[in-house]
Amino acid sequence: MSSATSLARHFKRGQKLIYLPNFVVALQKTPNLPPTFAKFIVPLNFNKLDLRDYLFHAYGVRALAVRSYVQQQKVRMKDSAMNRWYRPRSKKTMTVEMDKPFYWPDDPEDFTPWDKETFDAASEEQERGQGGKRKDKPAPRMEEREDKPTLAEQAKALLSGKVKWSPTKQMQPLSK
């Protein structure tokens, strides 16, 4: 039995069920707030009931009160074009009063589990598992690939008669 189901509901249950959320809720570190308050950066379409429902069902945290604030960004000029002004997307934060305090863990003194050698080994292992496909590394060009003949070689082989052309898919006749 999970901790969320063992707790008694302290508010009217919403209709939204959370299985795999398609939004990001980020907890901010705020040393000026007391430990019973937590500040989150949420999507603009999030409301207080959504956050309260999310915290209760995902983490078993009771939210006694929720305050929201939408901060409008300053107007800026685009770097690439002169006299092009735009306003960046607004940011929405929500401050939640919780029934139990939350204390941030102490910063680690020993950073060896996160050293460069471990990171490089993990990324190398991940690359091997993905078959060498990475977004930052472009796919090899056709002339660099040795496993497939070029289009010109294929055309010469067809024209000389060395290779007989056949369709890759067998087409089925249309039934009347």
Side-chain angles (χ1 to χ4, degrees):
M1 187 185 247
S2 70
S3 64
T5 56
S6 65
L7 294 171
R9 290 188 198 95
H10 63 288
F11 58 90
K12 186 177 177 183
R13 184 175 165 183
Q15 296 298 318
K16 293 184 181 179
L17 299 177
I18 298 176
Y19 296 108
L20 295 172
N22 57 354
F23 51 82
V24 176
V25 176
L27 176 63
Q28 279 188 316
K29 196 169 191 175
T30 51
N32 55 343
L33 288 177
T36 54
F37 285 84
K39 191 173 184 180
F40 296 92
I41 299 174
V42 297
L44 286 173
N45 61 350
F46 233 55
N47 61 31
K48 295 177 182 184
L49 299 175
D50 290 336
L51 183 63
R52 181 182 290 205
D53 215 35
Y54 172 74
L55 290 175
F56 182 73
H57 288 99
Y59 300 105
V61 173
R62 291 183 177 192
L64 303 177
V66 180
R67 288 179 279 175
S68 65
Y69 176 70
V70 178
Q71 181 182 11
Q72 192 173 15
Q73 300 297 304
K74 293 180 181 178
V75 176
R76 297 181 186 168
M77 186 182 291
K78 283 196 174 184
D79 296 333
S80 60
M82 297 288 290
N83 298 331
R84 291 284 182 159
W85 293 89
Y86 76 104
R87 183 181 300 275
R89 181 177 281 217
S90 300
K91 293 181 182 177
K92 187 172 192 176
T93 58
M94 289 190 177
T95 306
V96 177
E97 183 181 359
M98 303 174 292
D99 62 341
K100 295 178 185 172
F102 170 76
Y103 297 100
W104 282 89
D106 294 332
D107 292 335
E109 294 177 7
D110 183 23
F111 288 98
T112 53
W114 301 283
D115 62 349
K116 181 160 176 37
E117 292 84 23
T118 307
F119 175 77
D120 290 342
S123 62
E124 204 173 288
E125 181 69 29
Q126 186 177 14
E127 186 179 337
R128 262 189 273 131
Q130 293 176 353
K133 297 177 185 173
R134 285 182 38 188
K135 289 183 180 179
D136 60 340
K137 192 159 87 174
R141 302 180 130 223
M142 190 59 126
E143 56 265 5
E144 296 171 2
R145 295 173 56 181
E146 298 173 7
D147 57 337
K148 291 191 176 182
T150 63
L151 188 58
E153 291 171 353
Q154 290 176 0
K156 284 180 186 176
L158 278 172
L159 291 173
S160 66
K162 292 180 184 175
V163 178
K164 185 180 176 209
W165 180 84
S166 62
T168 56
K169 265 190 175 179
Q170 294 296 329
M171 303 298 286
Q172 298 294 329
L174 294 175
S175 60
K176 292 184 180 180

